[in-house]
Amino acid sequence: MGTEILTDLSAATMTGSGYGLISDAAIAIQGGSVAWVGPRSNLPAEYTDFSRRGLDGRLVTPGLIDCHTHIVHGGNRAREFEMRLEGASYEEIARAGGGIVSTVSATREASEETLLKTALSRADALIAEGVTTIEVKSGYGLDRDTELKMLRVARAIADQRPVRVLTSFLGAHAEPKEMDADTYIDTICLPTLQEVHAEGLVDAVDGFCEGIAFSPDQIARVFDKAVELGLPVKLHAEQLSNIGGTALAARYGALSADHVEYATEADAEALAQAGTVAVLLPGAFYAINETQAPPVEAFRKCGVPMAVGTDWNPGSSPLGSLLLAMNMSCTLFGLTPAEALAGTTRNAARALGLSDVGTIAPGQRADLAIWDVTDPAELSYGIGINPLYSRIVAGREAP
Ligand code: DI6
Ligand code: FE
């Protein structure tokens, strides 16, 4: 791969604490990586002879990263949306046998081809907004075969599209209809984790720690297995109540604790100590009409890095736009647009344990998004507006 110099652009490098903005910048791309970035006037002499591509003053950011999705799933739950509008709560629907287990039935029934086709169309929607890395969870199988099927489909997305995919095994997502939670963890979840790991299908281990899902003790058993296998962990924690999930995640040095609406200041301190990212998911907060916002001020005060994801799933967050998630993180949770962009770049990378993406800096993979905007705050300010011009993935144009 040759060397290409991007010029006539401003770059939000996302290095340092804010946007790391360089106006009138140049970016040298070599062998799929960023070789140099800085003010155009400082471009080193060694690059002056290489081919140049002017971007007409556009803004370049790191490719966006959606660090929390469930885009592999069967069916939809539009009927539950109607039920919630008629007054039922998300938890009531789950306890009455709807919720996650209804998507489990639809996902078990769906063929691998159908699951891939629908997952690709969701991935395409994210890609169209400048996303270059997507995390995808299992957890709608709750049996060996379907969990394997979901993870194979997740991996296949990256074979079919210019996008990087990281998978999380979410076997501990809900109690299946056919057995109790403890039996499920011991006889299905743990052996399946061992197997998906052996097949190279899993990058991290996730769980749903909640009154309607699994207790901290049950999640700890899954995390112990992850540690034994050398896999990093992350957790859906404190979404609907505080039962100690965030503290548990911190104890295991989790990559991230996600949702965290009900996290306390002590939880924030524990996350900061552990270096765990708080992943904010405003789509779920919005869709199920939550009123308790995550403790953003405590996260800031303690220095907890905050990421933002879509949580794209058929139940609590049928949200197919990471840009809208950024907007919602500002309007609903009070993030600044700079925090929202850090949340879908630098901190989202960290929530996935990736150190080669999320910023524009020498040595980083050249995963970039080019935008028809002048001010990076426009990315969070627009509602339902997609200003993407094009993407570059590992140094190659990938519109
Ligand atoms: N938290 C979520 O936001 C999703 N899973 C989870 O553990 C919701 C999944 C669903 O309702 O289908
Ligand atoms: Fe989720």
Side-chain angles (χ1 to χ4, degrees):
M1 220 182 294
T3 301
E4 187 181 31
I5 315 296
L6 306 179
T7 59
D8 197 6
L9 61 99
S10 58
T13 63
M14 305 314 289
T15 52
S17 57
Y19 292 122
L21 197 64
I22 305 171
S23 54
D24 198 9
I27 301 173
I29 297 174
Q30 207 165 32
S33 298
V34 172
W36 186 88
V37 58
R40 170 161 45 176
S41 55
N42 293 357
L43 188 70
E46 58 189 290
Y47 295 117
T48 44
D49 291 341
F50 289 106
S51 75
R52 289 185 183 220
R53 180 173 161 212
L55 292 177
D56 296 325
R58 291 187 175 90
L59 174 75
V60 180
T61 67
L64 301 189
I65 298 168
D66 193 346
C67 66
H68 184 137
T69 87
H70 308 249
I71 61 170
V72 176
H73 62 258
N76 75 77
R77 307 233 293 275
R79 175 61 200 134
E80 290 180 15
F81 176 59
E82 292 176 324
M83 287 165 72
R84 287 200 302 278
L85 289 169
E86 287 156 12
S89 76
Y90 179 72
E91 279 164 293
E92 282 161 2
I93 293 167
R95 291 191 195 281
I100 293 172
V101 293
S102 71
T103 300
V104 168
S105 306
T107 306
R108 287 178 179 176
E109 280 161 27
S111 70
E112 203 154 326
E113 294 69 39
T114 302
L115 279 183
L116 180 57
K117 191 166 155 253
T118 53
L120 283 172
S121 91
R122 295 179 193 119
D124 285 339
L126 296 174
I127 285 169
E129 287 189 342
V131 170
T132 52
T133 301
I134 307 175
E135 185 262 13
V136 182
K137 301 177 194 300
S138 71
Y140 288 120
L142 311 183
D143 64 27
R144 173 196 173 275
D145 291 355
T146 316
E147 290 292 311
L148 273 155
K149 177 171 74 173
M150 289 185 74
L151 291 167
R152 280 195 303 267
V153 167
R155 286 274 191 248
I157 295 169
D159 298 332
Q160 306 237 351
R161 295 292 188 273
V163 73
R164 189 170 181 183
V165 169
L166 272 91
T167 58
S168 299
F169 174 72
L170 180 55
H173 194 195
E175 183 182 309
K177 282 187 180 138
E178 55 274 12
M179 68 188 82
D180 68 78
D182 284 309
T183 310
Y184 169 70
I185 298 274
D186 294 334
T187 65
I188 306 289
C189 184
L190 297 180
T192 302
L193 171 53
Q194 176 105 31
E195 193 172 344
V196 293
H197 172 63
E199 301 225 352
L201 289 172
V202 55
D203 300 314
V205 174
D206 198 347
F208 187 17
C209 190
E210 192 57 65
I212 55 169
F214 295 96
S215 69
D217 286 350
Q218 289 164 336
I219 296 291
R221 277 161 36 214
V222 180
F223 280 6
D224 285 339
K225 185 75 183 176
V227 170
E228 183 193 314
L229 298 173
L231 289 167
V233 300
K234 44 184 43 250
L235 190 63
H236 289 70
E238 266 70 82
Q239 180 187 8
L240 308 167
S241 60
N242 189 311
I243 62 164
T246 309
L248 177 81
R251 228 169 26 251
Y252 279 83
L255 291 174
S256 67
D258 301 40
H259 291 286
V260 291
E261 276 88 342
Y262 285 82
T264 62
E265 185 138 349
D267 290 327
E269 279 162 19
L271 292 178
Q273 284 282 325
T276 299
V277 176
V279 176
L280 310 185
L281 303 167
F285 175 90
Y286 168 83
I288 63 174
N289 254 318
E290 278 281 316
T291 50
Q292 168 110 5
V296 164
E297 204 41 60
F299 293 150
R300 281 189 191 120
K301 197 176 113 209
C302 299
V304 179
M306 291 181 281
V308 175
T310 60
D311 194 16
W312 193 344
N313 75 66
S316 64
S317 189
L319 170 62
S321 166
L322 190 57
L323 290 174
L324 186 50
M326 287 165 63
N327 170 268
M328 287 177 166
S329 75
C330 297
T331 53
L332 300 175
F333 295 163
L335 262 59
T336 66
E339 287 173 327
L341 187 57
T344 54
T345 56
R346 184 174 68 233
N347 293 341
R350 189 163 161 183
L352 298 179
L354 297 175
S355 54
D356 62 342
V357 289
T359 60
I360 307 177
Q364 292 290 89
R365 228 171 94 108
D367 282 2
L368 305 171
I370 305 169
W371 306 94
D372 271 319
V373 305
T374 49
D375 180 343
E378 288 178 64
L379 300 177
S380 294
Y381 144 88
I383 305 170
I385 296 168
N386 180 7
L388 186 76
Y389 173 70
S390 75
R391 298 182 316 148
I392 292 175
V393 174
R396 289 177 197 275
E397 184 73 7

